[in-house]
Amino acid sequence: MATNLGGLTATGTVRVHRLVRGFGSRAVLDGFDLEIGAGEFVALLGRSGSGKSTLLRALAGLDSDVDGSGVIEVPEKSSVVFQDARLLPWQRVLDNVVLGLRGSNAHERGRAALAEVGLAGRENAWPNELSGGEQQRVALARALVSEPELLLADEPFGALDALTRLRMHDLLRELYARHRPTVLLVTHDVDEAVTLADRVLLLDSGRIAVDLTIDLPAQRSHRQPQFLAYRETLLRALGVNHSEG
Amino acid sequence: MTASVLARPQGTTTPSVRKPGRRLKPGRPIPLGAAIGPFLLLSVWAAGSAAGWIDPRTLSAPWTVVTTTGDLIADGRLQDNLAISAQRAGLGLVIGTVIGTVLAVVAGLSRWGEALLDGPIQIKRAIPSLALLPLLVLWFGIGEQMKVITITLGVFVPVYIHTHNGLRSIDSRYVELGESLRLPRAVFLRRIVLPGALPGFLLGMRFAVVNAWLALVVVEQINSTSGIGYMMQLAREYGQTDVIIVGLVLYGLLGLLSDGAVRLAQRRALSWRRTLAD
Ligand SMILES: Nc1ncnc2c1ncn2[C@@H]1O[C@H](COP(=O)(O)OP(=O)(O)OP(=O)(O)O)[C@@H](O)[C@H]1O
Ligand SMILES: [Mg+2]
């Protein structure tokens, strides 16, 4: 049973202290520390199996069946976006968006959230009538409709094609600019991390190996020399000596 | 003349167009195909009776069956017996469905519930309900109670088995979604568990309906003084094959109607699902 001493932060900050999580005898996270300021957009990189999802699930409180200890402080209002859109196939799109909402104006807020992700008019569609990218946009709407202070996303664009992924990047930046939640985005795509985040963390052997603040204008492109420098640093840290493209 | 427009010019060989792949489907459905077999059977029956090949004591002629039906309706026997039969089956179906569903939800959502309930029900499943009849007659007599209980026993097992199976096969990712949204238990049940188990439940209902009619036939033919089964039993004693056939047709119609009703419910409730059949 993962016990989280500590509790809920009000201001949107995330604090993790001496977090231990493991499966069987193997510790995936062993004395892990992390602090994220309110409203920060953090991308978490790491090799496959390095424990990114394990950390994210711990922050989301979805690992009550995992052994571990440590202190986790997260905002009370947090939302999760999964790699798959995870829409209930038997509920229409709008009902999926308002699933976690209570109150009389839930549907109104759901409609507004759908409009924000560009899906106004699709409220009554069934999820499997939507394309993969549209489904993931519904999932974003569902995560943001509750106005979370923390948005946790585990490779939310991993299953999308390259073009759709670029569109989703723009959408996510736009939504972030409007709602200003704290964001922790897990990804294995270095470009995605540098494009989106204000700060990139690299997880290796259960520790943060690189903590890089991205100092780039809001409009980012591969042609900026600084972008390429960040990219190079991260790829090298990931063990890729030679970057292509 | 539209066909000639589409037809290829005679005498020219078209360069090899890609041949359609080998078809694995049985082909286009025949219009009213389902009616051909029964209609043929009916014709043979009618022809046999008209020509005198079929002894009316073995099998009454179709027109006799029709007039008998008219007589039975005129003196009210058909309606009365049908009403009492439908009442028994309906009561057993409703009680059995409620019991089966409640037990499935309890066993599906709690480990203790499963430990306590699942074993006995699996054992009950191995014993045909009708084999319990002698015991039920001893316990509850030969009245309405015994009849409804027998039908209930035949109904609740398939409802339980398939609903429980439906609950168990709900994707754990949806459960995780519910946790991440911090859904209250009631909302979780209503929005995720019950709809997720609905396909299983409806499949169970189709078996349950068949079982209900089956049990009805049996209980009405032992020590009954009313119902379609009783009407047929009485007809046997007087050698009235026409009345027996009216009863058979009624059972058949009731079975078809109720199965059709469940299938309609299935189609309505599961319209979000796209399957091979659609
Ligand atoms: N439920 C589990 N049972 C046993 N081991 C697990 C479980 N979940 C994760 N692990 C192990 O913990 C380690 C970290 O897994 P995690 O899913 O956090 O990696 P990840 O960084 O998200 O990888 P990826 O980029 O491939 O998603 C892996 O070695 C994995 O095998
Ligand atoms: Mg992962």
Side-chain angles (χ1 to χ4, degrees), chain A residues 52-54 83 154-155 186:
Chain A
K52 304 183 295 293
S53 298
T54 305
Q83 179 167 3
D154 194 351
E155 301 191 30
V186 168

Side-chain angles (χ1 to χ4, degrees), chain B residues 145-162:
Chain B
Q145 211 183 1
M146 176 275 288
K147 295 187 175 67
V148 173
I149 288 174
T150 307
I151 297 171
T152 303
L153 283 175
V155 164
F156 98 91
V157 174
V159 172
Y160 169 87
I161 300 277
H162 292 281

